[in-house]
């Protein structure tokens, strides 16, 4: 007799997500000015790609930055996202993405946009990889204030 496969419901791995948020916070702080102000922009050249981080909002406990790839002649849609840094908790999380708008903690699947159940976790992993790439291979176009 054939067995029916039962799907387990998706649960957010909170410990892994918080670890990702903490490492992304540390990496992003290394790429931002020490005392960021609204409108500050940092541009990095890594390989043949240009990346930009722009400060959009600064409050006592948070900073919101917009991150994008800013190549002159893109061959495919370039990633864009907004990331909020929470200074009291020392974490950074992706809040919105160009193709999704506000990112939910989890999504029902299937859905109209075919967004994965763990889309938020995937976006934060992508952010971590992107920040590591910029830290290892990036050259700042503006002097860093250390």
């Amino acid at each position: 007799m054939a067995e029916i496969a039962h799907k387990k419901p998706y649960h957010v791995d909170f410990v892994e997500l918080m670890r990702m948020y903490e490492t992304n916070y540390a990496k992003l702080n290394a790429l931002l000015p020490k005392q960021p102000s609204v409108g500050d922009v940092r541009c990095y050249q890594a390989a043949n790609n240009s990346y930009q981080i722009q400060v959009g909002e600064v409050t006592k406990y948070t900073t919101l930055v917009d991150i994008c790839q800013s190549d002159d002649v893109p061959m495919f849609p370039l990633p864009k996202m907004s990331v909020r840094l929470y200074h009291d908790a020392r974490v950074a999380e992706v809040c919105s993405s160009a193709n999704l708008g506000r990112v939910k903690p989890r999504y029902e699947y299937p859905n109209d946009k075919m967004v994965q159940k763990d889309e938020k976790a995937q976006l934060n992993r992508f952010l971590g990889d992107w920040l590591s790439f910029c830290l290892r291979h990036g050259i700042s176009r503006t002097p860093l204030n250390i």
Side-chain angles (χ1 to χ4, degrees):
M1 184 182 272
E3 291 185 33
I4 298 174
H6 294 284
K7 284 188 174 182
K8 293 181 180 178
Y10 171 72
H11 295 286
V12 176
D13 184 346
F14 185 71
V15 173
E16 177 61 29
L17 199 59
M18 290 306 293
R19 185 180 3 242
M20 211 178 338
Y21 288 172
E22 289 170 350
T23 56
N24 286 349
Y25 180 85
K27 292 173 186 176
L28 195 49
N29 266 318
L31 295 170
L32 286 172
K34 294 293 179 198
Q35 298 294 324
S37 300
V38 173
D40 283 351
V41 176
R42 287 289 187 260
C43 296
Y44 296 91
Q45 186 74 36
N48 293 325
N49 302 314
S50 299
Y51 301 97
Q52 177 177 304
I53 302 171
Q54 181 172 6
V55 178
E57 177 185 289
V58 177
T59 66
K60 185 175 182 179
Y61 298 108
T62 68
T63 301
L64 181 68
V65 297
D66 295 315
I67 299 174
C68 66
Q69 187 173 340
S70 56
D71 293 332
D72 295 331
V73 183
M75 298 181 80
F76 50 88
L78 300 176
K80 294 180 183 176
M81 62 182 73
S82 292
V83 179
R84 185 167 303 277
L85 291 89
Y86 298 90
H87 304 298
D88 52 347
R90 302 183 62 79
V91 297
E93 73 167 326
V94 175
C95 309
S96 65
S97 175
N99 60 338
L100 287 178
R102 186 178 148 271
V103 181
K104 297 178 186 176
R106 69 182 218 182
Y107 292 87
E108 294 301 319
Y109 191 84
N111 53 61
D112 293 342
K113 293 186 178 182
M114 294 306 291
V115 177
Q116 297 297 311
K117 291 179 180 183
D118 64 340
E119 191 75 18
K120 185 169 193 129
Q122 288 186 38
L123 283 169
N124 280 285
R125 271 193 297 278
F126 174 77
L127 174 64
D129 292 344
W130 181 86
L131 293 170
S132 294
F133 178 73
C134 282
L135 286 167
R136 267 191 237 118
H137 305 290
I139 299 169
S140 176
R141 292 189 192 169
T142 55
L144 297 176
N145 299 330
I146 299 176

